[in-house]
Protein backbone atom coordinates (compact mmCIF):
# COMPACT_ATOMS: atom_id res chain seq x y z
CA UNK A 1 0.00 0.00 0.00
CA UNK A 2 1.10 3.50 -0.79
CA UNK A 3 0.41 5.47 2.33
CA UNK A 4 2.32 6.14 5.43
CA UNK A 5 0.16 5.69 8.50
CA UNK A 6 -2.66 3.19 8.26
CA UNK A 7 -5.38 3.61 10.87
CA UNK A 8 -8.00 1.62 9.02
CA UNK A 9 -9.56 1.52 5.57
CA UNK A 10 -11.55 3.99 3.70
CA UNK A 11 -14.05 3.91 1.15
CA UNK A 12 -14.75 7.09 -0.01
CA UNK A 13 -17.82 7.19 -1.25
CA UNK A 14 -19.53 9.12 -3.81
CA UNK A 15 -18.48 9.51 -7.34
CA UNK A 16 -21.37 10.88 -9.33
CA UNK A 17 -20.17 9.21 -12.48
CA UNK A 18 -21.75 10.73 -15.57
CA UNK A 19 -21.62 7.51 -17.49
CA UNK A 20 -24.16 4.86 -18.36
CA UNK A 21 -24.24 2.56 -15.38
CA UNK A 22 -24.17 -1.12 -16.16
CA UNK A 23 -26.04 -2.71 -13.31
CA UNK A 24 -25.18 -6.10 -11.86
CA UNK A 25 -27.83 -8.76 -11.57
CA UNK A 26 -28.50 -8.05 -7.89
CA UNK A 27 -27.59 -4.35 -7.85
CA UNK A 28 -30.48 -1.94 -8.39
CA UNK A 29 -30.93 1.83 -8.21
CA UNK A 30 -32.84 3.21 -5.24
CA UNK A 31 -36.38 3.44 -6.56
CA UNK A 32 -38.69 1.57 -4.20
CA UNK A 33 -39.41 1.30 -0.50
CA UNK A 34 -38.80 -1.81 1.51
CA UNK A 35 -40.06 -3.22 4.80
CA UNK A 36 -37.83 -2.80 7.84
CA UNK A 37 -39.10 -5.68 9.95
CA UNK A 38 -36.64 -8.29 8.69
CA UNK A 39 -38.89 -9.76 5.99
CA UNK A 40 -37.74 -9.64 2.39
CA UNK A 41 -34.20 -8.95 1.23
CA UNK A 42 -31.68 -6.96 3.22
CA UNK A 43 -31.26 -3.80 1.18
CA UNK A 44 -27.79 -2.27 1.44
CA UNK A 45 -27.04 1.28 0.28
CA UNK A 46 -23.77 1.65 -1.65
CA UNK A 47 -22.06 4.29 -3.75
CA UNK A 48 -21.10 4.06 -7.40
CA UNK A 49 -17.32 4.06 -7.30
CA UNK A 50 -14.38 1.75 -6.74
CA UNK A 51 -14.30 2.33 -3.00
CA UNK A 52 -17.30 0.00 -2.72
CA UNK A 53 -15.43 -2.83 -4.43
CA UNK A 54 -15.81 -5.21 -1.47
CA UNK A 55 -19.61 -4.94 -1.63
CA UNK A 56 -19.64 -5.51 -5.38
CA UNK A 57 -17.28 -8.47 -5.18
CA UNK A 58 -19.33 -10.14 -2.42
CA UNK A 59 -22.47 -9.68 -4.51
CA UNK A 60 -21.01 -10.81 -7.85
CA UNK A 61 -19.26 -13.84 -6.34
CA UNK A 62 -22.38 -15.01 -4.46
CA UNK A 63 -20.73 -14.62 -1.05
CA UNK A 64 -23.86 -13.19 0.59
CA UNK A 65 -25.98 -16.00 -0.84
CA UNK A 66 -23.52 -18.65 0.32
CA UNK A 67 -23.80 -17.23 3.86
CA UNK A 68 -27.59 -17.61 3.72
CA UNK A 69 -28.26 -13.89 3.25
CA UNK A 70 -30.67 -12.39 0.74
CA UNK A 71 -28.88 -9.09 0.02
CA UNK A 72 -29.82 -6.46 -2.54
CA UNK A 73 -27.36 -3.63 -3.22
CA UNK A 74 -28.99 -0.24 -3.82
CA UNK A 75 -26.97 2.46 -5.55
CA UNK A 76 -26.84 6.11 -4.54
CA UNK A 77 -24.82 8.92 -6.10
CA UNK A 78 -24.30 10.80 -2.83
CA UNK A 79 -23.51 9.51 0.64
CA UNK A 80 -26.10 11.74 2.28
CA UNK A 81 -28.85 10.17 0.18
CA UNK A 82 -27.83 6.72 1.38
CA UNK A 83 -27.98 7.77 5.04
CA UNK A 84 -31.39 9.39 4.47
CA UNK A 85 -32.65 6.16 2.90
CA UNK A 86 -31.47 4.24 5.93
CA UNK A 87 -33.22 6.59 8.34
CA UNK A 88 -36.46 6.40 6.33
CA UNK A 89 -36.43 2.59 6.16
CA UNK A 90 -35.81 2.24 2.41
CA UNK A 91 -32.64 0.27 3.21
CA UNK A 92 -31.48 -1.64 6.28
CA UNK A 93 -27.70 -1.24 5.99
CA UNK A 94 -25.39 1.25 4.30
CA UNK A 95 -21.78 2.04 3.62
CA UNK A 96 -20.96 5.65 4.41
CA UNK A 97 -18.07 7.89 5.35
CA UNK A 98 -17.70 8.83 9.00
CA UNK A 99 -18.10 12.52 8.11
CA UNK A 100 -21.45 12.00 6.36
CA UNK A 101 -22.81 9.80 9.12
CA UNK A 102 -21.81 12.18 11.90
CA UNK A 103 -23.41 15.15 10.15
CA UNK A 104 -26.80 13.40 10.38
CA UNK A 105 -26.70 12.02 13.91
CA UNK A 106 -28.74 14.81 15.46
CA UNK A 107 -31.69 14.41 13.08
CA UNK A 108 -31.36 10.60 12.96
CA UNK A 109 -30.41 9.52 16.50
CA UNK A 110 -31.16 5.85 15.83
CA UNK A 111 -28.22 5.57 13.37
CA UNK A 112 -25.55 3.12 14.50
CA UNK A 113 -22.03 2.62 13.16
CA UNK A 114 -21.14 -1.06 13.50
CA UNK A 115 -17.59 -1.28 12.16
CA UNK A 116 -15.12 0.32 9.76
CA UNK A 117 -14.44 -1.39 6.45
CA UNK A 118 -11.85 0.90 4.88
CA UNK A 119 -9.67 3.98 5.30
CA UNK A 120 -7.11 5.90 3.30
CA UNK A 121 -4.76 8.82 3.21
CA UNK A 122 -4.12 8.47 -0.53
CA UNK A 123 -7.48 8.18 -2.30
CA UNK A 124 -8.55 11.79 -1.77
CA UNK A 125 -6.26 14.20 -3.63
CA UNK A 126 -5.65 17.94 -3.78
CA UNK A 127 -6.00 19.27 -7.33
CA UNK A 128 -4.90 22.79 -8.31
CA UNK A 129 -5.52 24.52 -11.61
CA UNK A 130 -2.62 24.72 -14.03
CA UNK A 131 -0.63 27.80 -13.08
CA UNK A 132 -1.63 27.65 -9.41
CA UNK A 133 1.43 26.41 -7.55
CA UNK A 134 0.35 26.26 -3.92
CA UNK A 135 -2.32 27.04 -1.33
CA UNK A 136 -1.24 30.67 -0.97
CA UNK A 137 -2.37 31.29 -4.58
CA UNK A 138 -5.88 29.88 -4.08
CA UNK A 139 -8.68 32.43 -4.16
CA UNK A 140 -11.67 30.20 -4.93
CA UNK A 141 -11.96 26.50 -4.16
CA UNK A 142 -14.66 24.02 -5.10
CA UNK A 143 -16.11 22.02 -2.21
CA UNK A 144 -18.46 19.05 -1.92
CA UNK A 145 -20.33 19.16 1.42
CA UNK A 146 -19.24 16.49 3.88
CA UNK A 147 -16.05 14.56 3.22
CA UNK A 148 -14.83 16.89 0.47
CA UNK A 149 -15.48 19.95 2.59
CA UNK A 150 -13.62 18.80 5.68
CA UNK A 151 -10.73 17.49 3.56
CA UNK A 152 -10.46 20.94 1.96
CA UNK A 153 -10.62 22.73 5.31
CA UNK A 154 -7.86 20.57 6.74
CA UNK A 155 -5.65 21.19 3.70
CA UNK A 156 -5.99 24.96 3.99
CA UNK A 157 -5.46 24.95 7.75
CA UNK A 158 -2.38 22.75 7.41
CA UNK A 159 -0.84 25.40 5.14
CA UNK A 160 -1.77 28.39 7.28
CA UNK A 161 -4.46 29.76 4.97
CA UNK A 162 -6.82 31.71 7.28
CA UNK A 163 -10.57 31.15 7.38
CA UNK A 164 -12.31 33.62 5.09
CA UNK A 165 -9.31 34.09 2.81
CA UNK A 166 -10.69 31.65 0.25
CA UNK A 167 -14.12 31.70 -1.37
CA UNK A 168 -15.87 28.32 -1.16
CA UNK A 169 -17.86 27.29 -4.25
CA UNK A 170 -20.24 24.40 -3.49
CA UNK A 171 -20.80 21.94 -6.35
CA UNK A 172 -21.16 18.25 -7.14
CA UNK A 173 -18.05 16.12 -7.74
CA UNK A 174 -18.78 15.82 -11.47
CA UNK A 175 -18.96 19.63 -11.79
CA UNK A 176 -15.43 20.20 -10.49
CA UNK A 177 -13.30 19.46 -13.59
CA UNK A 178 -15.41 21.82 -15.72
CA UNK A 179 -15.30 24.58 -13.10
CA UNK A 180 -11.53 24.18 -12.92
CA UNK A 181 -11.16 24.26 -16.73
CA UNK A 182 -13.18 27.51 -16.94
CA UNK A 183 -11.14 29.13 -14.20
CA UNK A 184 -14.18 29.45 -11.94
CA UNK A 185 -12.22 27.70 -9.17
CA UNK A 186 -8.52 27.35 -8.45
CA UNK A 187 -8.70 23.84 -7.06
CA UNK A 188 -10.60 21.13 -5.23
CA UNK A 189 -9.97 18.22 -2.86
CA UNK A 190 -11.76 15.06 -3.97
CA UNK A 191 -11.59 11.35 -4.50
CA UNK A 192 -11.07 9.59 -7.80
CA UNK A 193 -11.87 9.79 -10.67
CA UNK A 194 -12.11 13.59 -10.40
CA UNK A 195 -8.41 14.26 -9.75
CA UNK A 196 -7.41 12.05 -12.70
CA UNK A 197 -10.06 13.73 -14.88
CA UNK A 198 -8.48 17.16 -14.35
CA UNK A 199 -5.01 15.78 -15.06
CA UNK A 200 -6.21 14.06 -18.25
CA UNK A 201 -7.84 17.31 -19.42
CA UNK A 202 -4.58 19.15 -18.89
CA UNK A 203 -6.32 21.72 -16.70
CA UNK A 204 -5.07 20.64 -13.28
CA UNK A 205 -2.33 18.88 -11.39
CA UNK A 206 -2.30 16.83 -8.18
CA UNK A 207 -0.19 18.52 -5.49
CA UNK A 208 -0.96 16.37 -2.43
CA UNK A 209 -2.98 13.54 -0.91
CA UNK A 210 -4.73 13.94 2.42
CA UNK A 211 -2.21 11.74 4.21
CA UNK A 212 0.39 14.41 3.46
CA UNK A 213 -1.36 16.64 5.98
CA UNK A 214 -2.30 13.85 8.38
CA UNK A 215 -5.95 13.45 7.37
CA UNK A 216 -7.35 9.94 6.84
CA UNK A 217 -10.94 9.23 6.01
CA UNK A 218 -12.87 6.16 7.10
CA UNK A 219 -15.94 4.38 5.90
CA UNK A 220 -18.37 2.77 8.29
CA UNK A 221 -21.05 0.13 7.90
CA UNK A 222 -24.15 1.66 9.45
CA UNK A 223 -27.68 0.62 10.33
CA UNK A 224 -30.37 1.63 12.80
CA UNK A 225 -30.82 0.42 16.34
CA UNK A 226 -34.32 -1.02 15.74
CA UNK A 227 -33.11 -3.16 12.81
CA UNK A 228 -29.99 -4.33 14.65
CA UNK A 229 -32.05 -5.27 17.69
CA UNK A 230 -34.42 -7.33 15.54
CA UNK A 231 -31.72 -8.91 13.34
CA UNK A 232 -28.49 -9.39 15.33
CA UNK A 233 -27.44 -12.63 13.62
CA UNK A 234 -28.00 -11.33 10.10
CA UNK A 235 -26.01 -8.21 10.92
CA UNK A 236 -23.05 -10.24 12.16
CA UNK A 237 -23.21 -12.55 9.14
CA UNK A 238 -23.17 -9.52 6.86
CA UNK A 239 -20.07 -8.20 8.62
CA UNK A 240 -18.30 -11.55 8.29
CA UNK A 241 -19.04 -11.72 4.55
CA UNK A 242 -17.79 -8.17 4.03
CA UNK A 243 -14.62 -9.02 5.98
CA UNK A 244 -13.97 -11.99 3.71
CA UNK A 245 -14.75 -9.94 0.60
CA UNK A 246 -12.40 -7.15 1.73
CA UNK A 247 -9.60 -9.67 2.13
CA UNK A 248 -10.25 -10.93 -1.41
CA UNK A 249 -10.16 -7.38 -2.77
CA UNK A 250 -6.69 -6.91 -1.28
CA UNK A 251 -5.51 -10.30 -2.53
CA UNK A 252 -6.98 -10.09 -6.04
CA UNK A 253 -7.48 -6.49 -7.26
CA UNK A 254 -8.28 -7.74 -10.78
CA UNK A 255 -11.24 -9.76 -9.47
CA UNK A 256 -12.46 -6.72 -7.53
CA UNK A 257 -12.09 -4.60 -10.65
CA UNK A 258 -14.18 -6.98 -12.74
CA UNK A 259 -16.94 -7.02 -10.12
CA UNK A 260 -16.94 -3.24 -9.85
CA UNK A 261 -17.14 -2.81 -13.62
CA UNK A 262 -20.06 -5.24 -13.79
CA UNK A 263 -21.88 -3.34 -11.04
CA UNK A 264 -21.23 0.30 -11.88
CA UNK A 265 -19.18 0.37 -15.10
CA UNK A 266 -16.03 1.80 -13.50
CA UNK A 267 -12.91 1.28 -15.61
CA UNK A 268 -11.01 -1.75 -14.32
CA UNK A 269 -7.66 0.02 -14.25
CA UNK A 270 -9.19 2.70 -12.05
CA UNK A 271 -10.35 0.11 -9.51
CA UNK A 272 -6.97 -1.63 -9.47
CA UNK A 273 -5.35 1.75 -8.77
CA UNK A 274 -7.90 2.44 -6.02
CA UNK A 275 -7.11 -0.86 -4.28
CA UNK A 276 -3.51 0.35 -4.09
CA UNK A 277 -4.66 3.55 -2.39
CA UNK A 278 -7.35 2.24 -0.05
CA UNK A 279 -6.91 -0.19 2.83
CA UNK A 280 -9.90 -2.55 2.66
CA UNK A 281 -10.57 -4.46 5.86
CA UNK A 282 -13.27 -4.84 8.51
CA UNK A 283 -12.16 -3.55 11.91
CA UNK A 284 -13.97 -2.82 15.14
CA UNK A 285 -14.51 0.75 16.27
CA UNK A 286 -12.63 1.77 19.40
CA UNK A 287 -11.62 4.69 21.59
CA UNK A 288 -9.36 6.14 18.87
CA UNK A 289 -12.33 6.23 16.50
CA UNK A 290 -14.38 8.12 19.09
CA UNK A 291 -11.59 10.70 19.35
CA UNK A 292 -11.36 11.01 15.56
CA UNK A 293 -15.14 11.36 15.29
CA UNK A 294 -15.06 14.16 17.85
CA UNK A 295 -12.73 16.19 15.62
CA UNK A 296 -15.36 15.89 12.88
CA UNK A 297 -18.06 17.04 15.30
CA UNK A 298 -15.89 20.02 16.22
CA UNK A 299 -15.53 20.93 12.55
CA UNK A 300 -19.28 20.72 11.94
CA UNK A 301 -19.98 22.85 15.00
CA UNK A 302 -17.48 25.46 13.79
CA UNK A 303 -19.29 25.81 10.44
CA UNK A 304 -22.79 25.61 11.93
CA UNK A 305 -23.85 22.21 10.57
CA UNK A 306 -24.22 20.83 14.11
CA UNK A 307 -25.55 23.01 16.90
CA UNK A 308 -25.37 20.36 19.63
CA UNK A 309 -23.02 17.56 20.59
CA UNK A 310 -24.28 14.20 19.25
CA UNK A 311 -24.06 11.12 21.47
CA UNK A 312 -21.09 9.42 19.80
CA UNK A 313 -20.85 6.66 22.39
CA UNK A 314 -24.38 5.54 21.59
CA UNK A 315 -24.02 5.95 17.83
CA UNK A 316 -20.68 4.12 17.55
CA UNK A 317 -20.87 0.47 18.62
CA UNK A 318 -17.44 -0.28 20.04
CA UNK A 319 -16.10 -3.82 19.61
CA UNK A 320 -19.37 -4.90 17.99
CA UNK A 321 -17.99 -7.10 15.19
CA UNK A 322 -17.24 -10.74 16.03
CA UNK A 323 -14.86 -12.61 13.75
CA UNK A 324 -16.21 -15.73 12.13
CA UNK A 325 -15.10 -18.84 13.98
CA UNK A 326 -13.19 -21.26 11.78
Amino acid sequence: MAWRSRPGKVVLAVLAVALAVALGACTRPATRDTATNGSGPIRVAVGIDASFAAFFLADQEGMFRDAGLDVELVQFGRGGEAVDALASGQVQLAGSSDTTTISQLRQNPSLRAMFAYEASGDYIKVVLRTGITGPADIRKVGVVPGLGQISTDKYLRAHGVPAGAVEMISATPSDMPALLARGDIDGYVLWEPWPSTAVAQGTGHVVAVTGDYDWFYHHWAISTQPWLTANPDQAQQFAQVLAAASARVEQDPALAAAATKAAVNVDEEQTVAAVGEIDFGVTNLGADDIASAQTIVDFYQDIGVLSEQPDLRSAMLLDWYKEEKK
Side-chain angles (χ1 to χ4, degrees):
M1 289 299 168
W3 51 290
R4 36 229 115 321
S5 138
R6 306 162 50 129
K9 262 213 154 216
V10 166
V11 161
L12 253 187
V14 258
L15 302 176
V17 180
L19 299 169
V21 176
L23 300 180
C26 297
T27 308
R28 303 179 177 90
T31 56
R32 57 185 173 83
D33 291 340
T34 187
T36 58
N37 59 5
S39 61
I42 302 170
R43 305 190 82 208
V44 182
V46 297
I48 53 175
D49 67 278
S51 66
F52 290 87
F55 294 83
F56 301 141
L57 186 148
D59 185 41
Q60 295 286 326
E61 294 293 297
M63 297 174 70
F64 293 124
R65 181 191 63 242
D66 292 346
L69 297 175
D70 182 7
V71 167
E72 178 183 317
L73 301 186
V74 186
Q75 299 168 5
F76 290 86
R78 294 177 55 250
E81 295 172 345
V83 180
D84 287 342
L86 183 65
S88 65
Q90 294 179 21
V91 299
Q92 288 76 48
L93 297 166
S96 176
S97 73
D98 47 3
T99 55
T100 298
T101 303
I102 289 169
S103 71
Q104 302 201 24
L105 286 179
R106 292 301 301 177
Q107 56 266 49
N108 300 316
S110 73
L111 291 178
R112 296 292 182 267
M114 302 175 291
F115 55 87
Y117 59 84
E118 61 176 82
S120 178
D122 285 327
Y123 192 57
I124 299 179
K125 301 176 177 72
V126 181
V127 179
L128 298 183
R129 183 163 49 85
T130 300
I132 302 293
T133 59
D137 298 326
I138 298 173
R139 297 294 176 264
K140 296 182 290 185
V141 64
V143 295
V144 175
L147 184 56
Q149 185 177 14
I150 192 171
S151 298
T152 303
D153 179 82
K154 287 183 177 292
Y155 171 69
L156 295 174
R157 288 176 184 266
H159 291 85
V161 178
V166 174
E167 182 182 356
M168 304 289 181
I169 308 296
S170 182
T172 67
S174 58
D175 290 331
M176 296 301 181
L179 292 173
L180 195 75
R182 292 200 303 264
D184 293 341
I185 58 175
D186 297 320
Y188 53 83
V189 185
L190 277 181
W191 45 88
E192 292 291 356
W194 311 118
S196 295
T197 300
V199 172
Q201 289 177 171
T203 56
H205 56 123
V206 173
V207 299
V209 295
T210 61
D212 292 336
Y213 50 95
D214 202 31
W215 169 239
F216 303 89
Y217 77 96
H218 303 78
H219 263 228
W220 293 343
I222 59 177
S223 186
T224 62
Q225 188 59 61
W227 191 85
L228 288 174
T229 298
N231 302 277
D233 293 338
Q234 287 184 312
Q236 285 289 341
Q237 288 170 339
F238 174 84
Q240 290 165 2
V241 170
L242 198 62
S246 297
R248 292 188 69 183
V249 168
E250 294 281 3
Q251 294 162 3
D252 193 344
L255 182 65
T260 302
K261 182 173 179 60
V264 290
N265 202 30
V266 170
D267 180 79
E268 293 184 56
E269 289 185 5
Q270 186 181 119
T271 299
V272 170
V275 174
E277 296 174 338
I278 299 170
D279 285 338
F280 290 90
V282 168
T283 59
N284 267 318
L285 301 176
D288 288 348
D289 297 287
I290 292 278
S292 176
Q294 185 59 51
T295 68
I296 298 171
V297 170
D298 295 342
F299 168 76
Y300 280 137
Q301 290 182 324
D302 285 345
I303 65 173
V305 170
L306 287 176
S307 58
E308 300 178 44
Q309 171 70 39
D311 186 355
L312 295 177
R313 293 194 174 274
S314 293
M316 300 172 66
L317 305 181
L318 306 189
D319 298 320
W320 174 89
Y321 166 64
K322 298 176 178 60
E323 274 190 72
E324 183 177 13
K325 294 179 180 178
K326 303 297 183 183

